[in-house]
Amino acid sequence: EKSFLVMNVDILTKMNLQKMIDIHTQNNPIATLAVRDRNSSRCLLLNYKNELCGWRNKNTQEERISRMEKDLIEKSFSGIHLLKPTIFEHITQTGKFSIIDSYLEIAKTNIIQCADHTGELLMDVGKPESILEAEKYF
């Protein structure tokens, strides 16, 4: 079964996608998510193998844990997903919903791998002023 890449529409990046593909191929998870060190109020919680275990809102201290493990690492999701088609068998929501909520539910019974690309250029161009900044790099 061939996996496919999904990238949020407002993301521009120069990240090494081949590295993410290699991690996905080697570990054979249902999904691989691009993550990085970034100051954010919301973060994914990963174990030492870079597998998704939970989510935290640092402003409200709300946490959602899918898998109880020690010493979870905080990383920010970059909006880039590498998915197996079987992921759709596990997504039950319809209409507008947070994909992170789905991933947290799926992570209870399936491995969702994360690929760290800290240090590689990634820009959110969802606001007009960020487009001007992006023109310097792209």
Side-chain angles (χ1 to χ4, degrees):
E1 122 186 273
K2 292 202 177 209
S3 295
F4 60 96
L5 184 72
V6 175
M7 193 164 132
N8 291 8
V9 69
D10 58 353
I11 298 295
L12 291 177
T13 186
K14 290 187 177 183
M15 75 173 277
N16 183 346
L17 289 175
Q18 187 59 55
K19 180 181 167 190
M20 184 176 175
I21 292 166
D22 291 346
I23 289 169
H24 185 74
T25 302
Q26 290 165 8
N27 295 296
N28 199 30
I30 195 164
T32 300
L33 310 179
V35 298
R36 63 190 181 128
D37 290 326
R38 178 175 55 89
N39 188 15
S40 176
S41 61
R42 295 173 310 216
C43 58
L44 300 181
L45 301 173
L46 317 179
N47 66 10
Y48 74 97
K49 296 184 205 174
N50 282 332
E51 296 168 343
L52 180 64
C53 295
W55 171 91
R56 176 181 296 140
N57 181 321
K58 293 193 268 187
N59 289 341
T60 65
Q61 301 309 309
E62 177 189 359
E63 276 190 354
R64 295 185 52 212
I65 303 296
S66 300
R67 297 168 51 195
M68 291 298 295
E69 295 200 27
K70 292 182 180 180
D71 303 321
L72 295 177
I73 304 158
E74 294 180 352
K75 296 285 180 176
S76 293
F77 179 48
S78 297
I80 302 168
H81 333 228
L82 195 53
L83 308 169
K84 287 185 176 180
T86 54
I87 193 93
F88 294 114
E89 297 169 14
H90 302 275
I91 297 175
T92 58
Q93 298 94 327
T94 59
K96 184 178 178 180
F97 64 92
S98 165
I99 194 65
I100 295 299
D101 291 342
S102 295
Y103 289 157
L104 291 169
E105 190 61 33
I106 293 166
K108 292 177 181 178
T109 55
N110 294 269
I111 298 297
I112 294 186
Q113 188 70 50
C114 293
D116 192 333
H117 70 102
T118 299
E120 295 179 308
L121 182 62
L122 181 125
M123 298 184 77
D124 180 341
V125 291
K127 296 178 182 157
E129 60 272 13
S130 56
I131 294 171
L132 295 173
E133 181 68 18
E135 286 179 350
K136 298 175 186 175
Y137 300 98
F138 295 94

